[in-house]
């Protein structure tokens, strides 16, 4: 399961692989899928002020068969976990997962002794490629997460990283 | 060595038609995304190539290298043949469309009939794909698509029969030939034949939207109700071919509307007729189709069927009777 375990091809085509990676990185179609309040920020990212469409990633497909990246936006309750896992399994390879927000990273504010209802992090269910911290993260952070995923796919960054002063 | 020019012509038109259909299908997706973005006060794809112009190419690479899932329990033959059944008739319809008086692959005497015969295969492809994928949302979508197409073929064909009565021919080149010489000769303003001609154009355009399953009549792919409708189980290029077939069908619909009502390659002012006027009119109609999609909400299914059976069909029959009476009297 997951993109990490795919065996490399026996015959390597470096330039062609780069082209394929560029194609995949620039057309990351996310799934129309939100679990909690982070999904509201995800919708704001797609709307006019932040415009995810600039990177070709605005095609939110409703069916997991046509998605490339699953943005786990919100708290995964134990009751919801099987559904989330099914959605992940239904996505065709190559597929990526972005864990958005503290709940999807580690359970966030819901982790305490004796809690019984929350899955403590999306990585307990399936491999996660990019973690976006925040509660909830700003839309800029989600865009940065998508750019980070593009960097992971192609190996090079679209723009120089902004230094925090 | 002597090569029959007919064979060269055949090959040239074969390549040209397929390239035209495929390029249109790819770049109409770009147009749709850009137009949607600007209607919603966004910018749209801009980082992939200048103005995002490489976006269709990138999407194509991605879709082609995506895993093709054939889920367990589907009918493998129907599941695989359905996208082809949507795409191939759409490309084949281009054979009969005259882009100008010389630029036509086959000047068929029954060109109009050929196009409508191929256009009706589209719904069969959607039905087979949805039925074959054995998914409850897909089957509901298939039932909707079939009833929608049955309802809208009738006013569309009645309107076309009206036009054939006026023109007296089914040859598309001759239909355009009768409208040459300025916009007051076009069928949309042919008030001498029937005062209802502008209404007939409106009926034809609405039926075209419904036949190609475009919003506000996109019952086939009602995301908020039916996941992705008939395409729910299709991944990778299986979905891509469906998508391209949809856009190719829009191009066909806009071309037929241009030929029947807007005078084909005729210039509105009677100067320099040519293929550019055909393309301008066709792309204006396609622009309008996308414009409607992003500014109108989806109708309910009952509203859709009521519109056809209670409004469009009676009006188109009134137009038919009025036209035949006018032709008989004058």
């Amino acid at each position: 399961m997951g993109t990490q375990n795919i065996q490399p091809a026996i015959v390597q085509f470096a330039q062609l692989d780069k082209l394929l990676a560029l194609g995949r990185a620039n057309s990351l179609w996310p799934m129309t899928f939100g679990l909690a309040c982070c999904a509201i920020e995800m919708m704001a990212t797609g709307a006019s002020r932040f415009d995810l469409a600039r990177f070709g990633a605005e095609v939110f497909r409703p069916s997991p068969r046509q998605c490339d990246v699953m943005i786990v936006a919100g708290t995964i309750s134990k009751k919801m976990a099987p559904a989330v896992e099914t959605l992940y399994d239904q996505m065709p390879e190559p597929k990526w997962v972005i864990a958005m927000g503290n709940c999807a990273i580690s359970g966030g504010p819901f982790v305490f002794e004796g809690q019984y209802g929350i899955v403590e992090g999306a990585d307990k269910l399936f491999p996660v490629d990019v973690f976006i911290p925040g509660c909830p993260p700003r839309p800029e952070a989600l865009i940065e997460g998508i750019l980070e995923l593009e960097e992971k796919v192609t190996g090079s960054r679209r723009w120089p990283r902004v230094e925090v002063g | 060595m002597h090569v029959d020019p007919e064979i060269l012509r055949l090959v040239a038109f074969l390549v040209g038609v397929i390239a035209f259909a495929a390029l249109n299908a790819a770049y109409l997706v770009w147009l749709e995304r850009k137009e949607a973005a600007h209607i919603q006060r966004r910018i749209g794809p801009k980082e992939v190539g200048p103005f995002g112009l490489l976006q269709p190419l990138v999407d194509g690479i991605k879709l082609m290298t995506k895993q093709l899932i054939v889920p367990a329990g589907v009918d493998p033959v129907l599941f695989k043949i359905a996208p082809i059944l949507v795409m191939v008739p759409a490309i084949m319809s281009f054979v009969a469309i005259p882009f100008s008086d010389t630029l036509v692959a086959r000047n068929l005497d029954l060109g109009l009939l050929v196009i409508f015969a191929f256009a009706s295969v589209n719904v069969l492809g959607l039905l087979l794909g949805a039925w074959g994928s054995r998914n409850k949302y897909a089957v509901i979508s298939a039932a909707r698509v079939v009833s929608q197409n049955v309802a809208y073929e009738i006013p569309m064909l009645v309107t076309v029969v009206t036009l054939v009565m006026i023109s007296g021919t089914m040859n598309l080149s001759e239909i355009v030939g009768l409208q040459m010489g300025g916009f007051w000769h076009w069928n949309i303003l042919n008030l001498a034949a029937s005062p209802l001609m502008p209404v007939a154009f409106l009926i034809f355009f609405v039926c075209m939207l419904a036949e190609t399953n475009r919003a506000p009549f996109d019952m086939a792919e009602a995301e908020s109700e039916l996941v992705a409708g008939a395409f729910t189980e299709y991944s990778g290029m299986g979905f891509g071919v469906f998508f391209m077939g949809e856009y190719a069908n829009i191009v066909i619909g806009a071309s037929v509307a241009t030929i029947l009502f807007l005078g084909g390659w005729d210039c509105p002012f009677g100067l320099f007729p040519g293929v550019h006027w055909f393309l301008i009119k066709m792309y204006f109609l396609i622009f309008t189709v996308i414009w409607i999609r992003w500014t109108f909400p989806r109708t309910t299914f009952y509203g859709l069927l009521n519109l056809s059976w209670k409004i469009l069909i009676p009006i188109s029959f009134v137009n038919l009777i009025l036209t035949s009476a006018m032709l008989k009297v004058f």
Side-chain angles (χ1 to χ4, degrees):
Chain A
M1 275 302 161
T3 35
Q4 283 86 349
N5 296 345
I6 291 181
Q7 299 291 319
I10 297 168
V11 187
Q12 301 273 335
F13 298 98
Q15 296 303 322
L16 190 62
D17 277 348
K18 269 185 197 165
L19 184 70
L20 296 192
L22 266 179
R24 285 164 180 165
N26 285 304
S27 126
L28 290 168
W29 293 3
M31 200 190 295
T32 317
F33 162 66
L35 290 170
C37 29
C38 283
I40 305 294
E41 296 294 313
M42 185 170 77
M43 293 170 214
T45 317
S48 46
R49 185 164 169 193
F50 301 99
D51 197 14
L52 200 54
R54 288 174 293 155
F55 311 100
E58 93 277 31
V59 192
F60 280 89
R61 292 303 309 168
S63 165
R65 302 277 189 219
Q66 296 139 18
C67 299
D68 306 296
V69 50
M70 178 159 131
I71 302 175
V72 185
T75 323
I76 309 171
S77 62
K78 286 211 169 116
K79 213 166 182 177
M80 197 63 184
V84 180
E85 269 184 300
T86 309
L87 284 178
Y88 178 77
D89 291 342
Q90 281 176 334
M91 284 165 67
E93 296 282 353
K95 56 186 170 184
W96 297 277
V97 177
I98 292 177
M100 181 184 180
N102 289 350
C103 298
I105 294 173
S106 66
F110 301 102
V111 181
F112 54 87
E113 196 134 339
Q115 75 89 0
Y116 52 86
I118 301 297
V119 177
E120 297 185 0
D123 55 341
K124 296 269 193 301
L125 303 174
F126 35 69
V128 175
D129 295 274
V130 176
F131 294 92
I132 307 173
C135 191
R138 295 269 313 162
E140 294 96 327
L142 179 57
I143 289 178
E144 174 64 25
I146 297 238
L147 294 184
E148 197 77 23
L149 186 57
E150 287 183 6
E151 188 181 350
K152 185 175 180 180
V153 175
T154 58
S156 60
R157 195 175 159 78
R158 189 192 284 275
W159 290 313
R161 205 174 296 275
V162 179
E163 295 298 325
V164 182
Chain B
M1 197 180 82
H2 177 72
V3 182
D4 190 358
E6 184 58 29
I7 291 176
L8 287 179
R9 189 175 164 279
L10 200 73
V11 172
F13 269 108
L14 193 71
V15 174
V17 159
I18 292 177
F20 185 74
L23 271 178
N24 262 307
Y27 273 89
L28 286 182
V29 177
W30 173 83
L31 179 72
E32 169 128 34
R33 286 168 80 168
K34 268 298 203 195
E35 199 178 328
H38 283 281
I39 287 171
Q40 297 171 352
R41 299 189 80 185
R42 295 187 282 120
I43 304 170
K46 84 179 237 288
E47 295 295 340
V48 190
F51 306 106
L53 274 172
L54 294 180
Q55 193 68 51
L57 187 74
V58 162
D59 281 337
I61 291 174
K62 198 253 344 229
L63 282 173
M64 274 187 254
T65 56
K66 196 96 178 140
Q67 182 189 11
L68 274 175
I69 293 181
V70 181
V74 305
D75 188 321
V77 180
L78 295 187
F79 188 77
K80 284 170 191 160
I81 210 170
I84 303 167
L85 263 181
V86 172
M87 190 69 198
V88 170
I91 292 179
M92 282 170 82
S93 302
F94 279 105
V95 168
I97 287 182
F99 291 94
S100 79
D101 45 356
T102 48
L103 197 64
V104 50
R106 271 261 172 263
N107 196 3
L108 299 164
D109 276 343
L110 292 174
L112 200 55
L113 194 65
V114 166
I115 287 178
F116 280 100
F118 281 132
S120 58
V121 180
N122 175 32
V123 59
L124 189 71
L126 283 174
L127 172 65
L128 287 184
W131 178 256
S133 52
R134 207 166 290 182
N135 176 305
K136 58 185 171 189
Y137 301 114
V139 172
I140 296 172
S141 157
R144 284 181 173 192
V145 168
V146 171
S147 47
Q148 175 182 344
N149 273 265
V150 166
Y152 279 86
E153 290 253 303
I154 299 168
M156 191 176 209
L157 289 179
V158 169
T159 311
V160 169
V161 165
T162 315
L163 268 160
V164 170
M165 278 181 1
I166 293 170
S167 310
T169 172
M170 286 183 117
N171 184 327
L172 291 172
S173 296
E174 284 178 27
I175 291 178
V176 178
L178 290 170
Q179 305 176 54
M180 296 300 275
F183 67 89
W184 54 94
H185 292 289
W186 295 355
N187 273 333
I188 187 174
L189 291 174
N190 196 349
L191 300 178
S194 155
L196 282 177
M197 277 328 266
V199 182
F201 172 71
L202 203 64
I203 292 175
F204 187 88
F205 191 71
V206 170
C207 292
M208 186 198 102
L209 284 180
E211 291 274 304
T212 49
N213 299 318
R214 292 290 296 186
F217 309 114
D218 58 341
M219 290 295 149
E221 201 194 350
E223 281 108 341
S224 49
E225 303 157 25
L226 295 176
V227 191
F231 319 133
T232 304
E233 292 292 340
Y234 282 91
S235 67
M237 211 51 202
F239 166 70
V241 170
F242 264 126
F243 217 56
M244 287 172 72
E246 184 185 321
Y247 283 99
N249 275 320
I250 294 169
V251 177
I252 295 285
S255 305
V256 173
T258 307
I259 290 166
L260 292 184
F261 289 96
L262 301 181
W265 58 85
D266 182 37
C267 170
F269 325 109
L271 302 164
F272 310 117
V275 66
H276 48 281
W277 280 110
F278 185 93
L279 293 179
I280 288 172
K281 291 170 194 170
M282 188 188 83
Y283 284 119
F284 176 73
L285 285 182
I286 293 173
F287 185 88
T288 314
V289 167
I290 298 174
W291 187 5
I292 288 172
R293 167 165 182 180
W294 291 99
T295 42
F296 281 95
R298 182 163 51 241
T299 57
T300 60
F301 191 56
Y302 296 109
L304 175 86
L305 292 182
N306 282 345
L307 175 67
S308 174
W309 292 105
K310 290 185 180 167
I311 300 174
L312 295 184
I313 291 180
I315 293 179
S316 59
F317 272 114
V318 165
N319 186 30
L320 180 76
I321 294 163
L322 191 67
T323 311
S324 45
M326 301 267 288
L327 284 177
K328 199 74 190 166
V329 173
F330 299 109

